[in-house]
């Protein structure tokens, strides 16, 4: 159990376009999901905390109007990178925390590689 | 300053040999410490989790230790295999559930 999926796994887009990444908890409900960004040879950096039915909480320095997060159900959160630029190219990873019975453990998705040309 | 420091940054070992990775942390108040394995282009996968009262935890050929007094942890890989080539990340959770990530140790196992 505790499987988290992401879609797409890879995406290449032109500068100025918007890209949506989905994060799903497949076999459990997740009131809280997290979005991370990882640059090459660096560790994961938390971008925002996504709470089902309410606004996301963004970390300092992360533009909420650029990285739109929607957590419309207990199994799905989406991250939309708006007006993408080459510097947004990165590996985006989501994680999900069980609504109940899982303590604080976060289960990570497989990641989405975004390349902005 | 990062509250979780890992060493070495990278290492290369021969297949079949053992190695030990280190993690020092300053996160407080402490809840638990996890070691994750992250293959290239994939998300992290949990190997072990230890709370304050646990000194050691094993998962197959992976053995983690924790000294909560000195705030140090290690991950020992026994009889390394080519599939062990990955980044190993130490993650400390504080009492409010916030995760602090180490930068990871890149392990390369060569034939």
């Amino acid at each position: 159990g505790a499987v988290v999926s992401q879609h797409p796994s890879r995406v290449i887009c032109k500068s100025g376009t918007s890209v949506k990444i989905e994060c799903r908890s497949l076999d459990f409900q997740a009131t809280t999901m997290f979005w991370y960004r990882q640059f090459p040879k660096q560790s994961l950096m938390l971008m925002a905390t996504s709470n089902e039915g309410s606004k996301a909480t963004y970390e300092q320095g992360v533009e909420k109007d650029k990285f739109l997060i929607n957590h419309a159900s207990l199994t799905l959160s989406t991250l939309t990178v708006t007006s993408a630029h080459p510097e947004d190219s990165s590996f985006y990873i989501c994680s999900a925390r069980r609504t109940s019975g899982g303590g604080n453990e976060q289960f990570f998705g497989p990641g989405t590689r975004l390349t902005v040309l | 300053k990062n509250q979780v420091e890992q060493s070495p940054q990278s290492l290369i070992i021969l297949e079949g040999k053992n190695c030990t990775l280190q993690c020092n942390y300053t996160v407080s108040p402490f809840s638990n410490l996890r070691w994750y394995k992250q293959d290239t282009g994939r998300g992290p996968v949990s190997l072990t989790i230890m709370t304050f009262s646990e000194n050691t935890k094993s998962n197959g050929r992976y053995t983690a230790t924790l000294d909560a007094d000195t705030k140090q942890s290690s991950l020992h890989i026994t009889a390394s295999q080519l599939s062990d080539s990955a980044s190993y990340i130490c993650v400390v959770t504080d009492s409010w559930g916030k995760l602090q990530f180490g930068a990871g140790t890149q392990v390369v196992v060569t034939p």
Side-chain angles (χ1 to χ4, degrees):
Chain A
V3 178
V4 177
S5 70
Q6 281 184 241
H7 178 79
S9 58
R10 290 177 177 269
V11 57
I12 301 173
C13 69
K14 293 182 178 180
S15 186
T17 60
S18 295
V19 174
K20 180 185 284 188
I21 303 170
E22 292 186 349
C23 176
R24 292 182 186 274
S25 55
L26 298 184
D27 51 2
F28 66 98
Q29 292 186 331
T31 304
T32 305
M33 292 184 172
F34 304 84
W35 286 97
Y36 296 86
R37 181 165 52 183
Q38 185 178 33
F39 292 106
K41 298 187 188 290
Q42 295 185 26
S43 195
L44 284 70
M45 295 294 294
L46 179 65
M47 298 175 64
T49 301
S50 169
N51 298 296
E52 187 267 338
S54 64
K55 291 183 178 180
T57 304
Y58 290 82
E59 295 298 300
Q60 191 172 12
V62 178
E63 300 175 58
K64 63 180 181 181
D65 294 330
K66 180 167 183 62
F67 299 99
L68 301 179
I69 292 173
N70 184 281
H71 193 155
S73 77
L74 287 173
T75 59
L76 173 64
S77 175
T78 61
L79 169 68
T80 300
V81 183
T82 63
S83 187
H85 288 105
E87 57 264 33
D88 297 325
S89 297
S90 187
F91 193 52
Y92 291 86
I93 302 175
C94 75
S95 70
R97 191 161 64 196
R98 287 183 191 271
T99 298
S100 62
N104 281 326
E105 182 173 7
Q106 295 182 25
F107 301 94
F108 290 88
T112 295
R113 172 73 59 192
L114 170 63
T115 303
V116 184
L117 302 177
Chain B
K1 181 171 166 50
N2 197 348
Q3 297 186 58
V4 180
E5 300 283 351
Q6 290 188 243
S7 63
Q9 194 172 47
S10 62
L11 68 93
I12 301 173
I13 59 173
L14 289 176
E15 186 178 12
K17 298 296 185 182
N18 305 333
C19 68
T20 300
L21 316 180
Q22 300 291 340
C23 174
N24 297 337
Y25 63 93
T26 59
V27 176
S28 181
F30 172 89
S31 177
N32 61 64
L33 183 148
R34 294 178 187 274
W35 283 93
Y36 286 87
K37 178 186 179 187
Q38 185 179 22
D39 292 311
T40 301
R42 306 292 294 175
V45 175
S46 180
L47 295 175
T48 63
I49 175 174
M50 288 178 292
T51 58
F52 186 88
S53 60
E54 295 175 297
N55 300 120
T56 185
K57 187 69 71 77
S58 290
N59 178 359
R61 294 178 296 102
Y62 300 104
T63 299
T65 65
L66 173 66
D67 185 334
D69 292 329
T70 62
K71 299 188 176 182
Q72 297 179 325
S73 176
S74 68
L75 180 69
H76 187 77
I77 305 176
T78 303
S80 61
Q81 299 177 359
L82 297 178
S83 60
D84 292 332
S85 295
S87 178
Y88 291 84
I89 305 173
C90 175
V91 182
V92 181
T93 304
D94 65 23
S95 296
W96 294 285
K98 187 174 176 71
L99 275 62
Q100 298 288 349
F101 291 79
T105 293
Q106 187 67 45
V107 174
V108 175
V109 181
T110 63

